[in-house]
Amino acid sequence: MTAIQEAQERPRGARLPRSARREQLLGAAQEVFVAQGYHSAAMDDIADRAGVSKPVLYQHFPGKLELYLALLDKHCDALVDATRDALSATTDNKQRVAATMEAYFHYVSSESGAFRLVFESDLTNEPAVRERVERASDLSATLVSKVIAEDTDLPEAEAKLLAAGVCGLAQITARYWLSQGRDIPRDEAVRLVASLAWRGLKGFPMHPAPEGQPSAGE
């Protein structure tokens, strides 16, 4: 249920537990920021969307920037968690690449459009926003680089560079795919991009796979 639906079903100003109210306000703010961007959005719009008075909104968030940063923290964490889950889902490196691509495509194609707050923000000149986005990108690349370094013995800096390339490829192609109207089915788009990434990565010498497991380069 969206913040709009919750607001319509609950009388204006009805009391909610503080944590539930905060989530409701974040949901309403997300809808407004995704639709209008940071600069065009107003706290009045967010309060109306949530079905609360503006003083109630300010009880939870002292200003528009703090509200935006709270959302950004939430969705940056979601991206890093999705990358971590993708890498831990299997020990097969080819499947890890595909799972990482799928994580980014899934993140970008979510109906909420929350990825726009992270990758297409109109507030990147704000240091606090830039720091959070760069941190999420760096953490995701670090997760990938650890796997590359462990399986290839490449120096840390080289593994990190390759990992940044993998994550950048995932993010840019997922956003391009979405902007083109999803003409290619998502599963096929993921397969194509994962194949491109894996053809590059498998060229680096890999440690022999444990007995009974397929070789990492297969």
Side-chain angles (χ1 to χ4, degrees), residues 147-188:
V147 174
I148 293 175
E150 288 170 0
D151 289 331
T152 64
D153 280 340
L154 283 172
E156 180 180 345
E158 293 181 14
K160 186 68 173 289
L161 180 63
L162 292 177
V166 169
C167 293
L169 174 65
Q171 182 233 125
I172 292 172
T173 54
R175 289 169 55 203
Y176 176 80
W177 166 79
L178 186 68
S179 74
Q180 298 303 301
R182 313 185 195 208
D183 290 341
I184 303 172
R186 191 175 85 187
D187 288 350
E188 177 63 10

Side-chain angles (χ1 to χ4, degrees), residues 95-107:
Q95 293 178 16
R96 279 172 166 165
V97 171
T100 300
M101 297 300 161
E102 168 60 25
Y104 274 81
F105 273 75
H106 176 77
Y107 182 80

